[in-house]
């Protein structure tokens, strides 16, 4: 069974401890990169990263984008959603299906 990790601002990720996930509270981009790369080396299957942190380490997020493991999923941070995670999901669905089926279209 794969482990699940969460990387982000301490205030945003601390609650995930109660779900049995490994939590890495980080304060800057360097700490976040080290936490994600460390979890990947340790065989984590899923790593949640707050959008606030992810926008600072785009190259690290992109590095794992096409790899099977770990799956890196963006979640809202302390400031709420920045829309980055939803946009990445839309982009992936459009790539797989060939059309954007998630946008609300007025008709």
């Amino acid at each position: 069974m794969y482990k699940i990790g969460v990387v982000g601002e301490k205030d945003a990720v601390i609650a995930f401890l109660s779900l049995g996930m490994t939590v890495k509270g980080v304060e800057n981009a360097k700490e976040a990169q080290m936490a994600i790369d460390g979890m990947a080396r340790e065989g984590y299957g899923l790593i949640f990263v707050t959008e606030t942190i992810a926008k600072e380490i785009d190259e690290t997020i992109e590095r794992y984008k096409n790899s099977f493991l770990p799956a890196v999923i963006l979640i809202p941070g302390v400031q709420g959603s920045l829309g980055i995670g939803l946009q990445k999901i839309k982009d992936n669905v459009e790539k797989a299906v060939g059309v954007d089926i998630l946008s609300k279209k007025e008709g």
Side-chain angles (χ1 to χ4, degrees):
M1 180 182 278
Y2 292 106
K3 296 182 275 186
I4 300 174
V6 185
V7 177
E9 315 88 287
K10 290 178 185 177
D11 293 348
V13 299
I14 196 74
F16 289 94
L17 279 173
S18 64
L19 299 174
M21 298 179 190
T22 302
V23 171
K24 301 283 184 175
V26 297
E27 296 181 12
N28 58 51
K30 183 69 174 169
E31 288 179 7
Q33 290 171 331
M34 289 173 40
I36 293 169
D37 290 339
M39 287 178 172
R41 278 191 306 277
E42 293 171 20
Y44 279 71
L46 178 61
I47 303 171
F48 292 107
V49 181
T50 61
E51 290 178 333
T52 309
I53 294 297
K55 74 178 183 179
E56 297 178 26
I57 58 166
D58 193 48
E59 67 284 346
T60 302
I61 302 299
E62 287 298 315
R63 188 171 354 117
Y64 294 106
K65 179 179 177 182
N66 294 320
S67 62
F68 180 68
L69 290 174
V72 176
I73 308 296
L74 305 186
I75 59 174
V78 174
Q79 301 170 351
S81 179
L82 302 176
I84 300 168
L86 181 59
Q87 186 59 50
K88 289 195 181 290
I89 290 170
K90 284 182 177 183
D91 292 346
N92 288 334
V93 169
E94 186 172 354
K95 182 178 176 183
V97 178
V99 65
D100 182 4
I101 62 172
L102 297 178
S103 289
K104 295 179 183 175
K105 294 191 168 73
E106 301 294 323

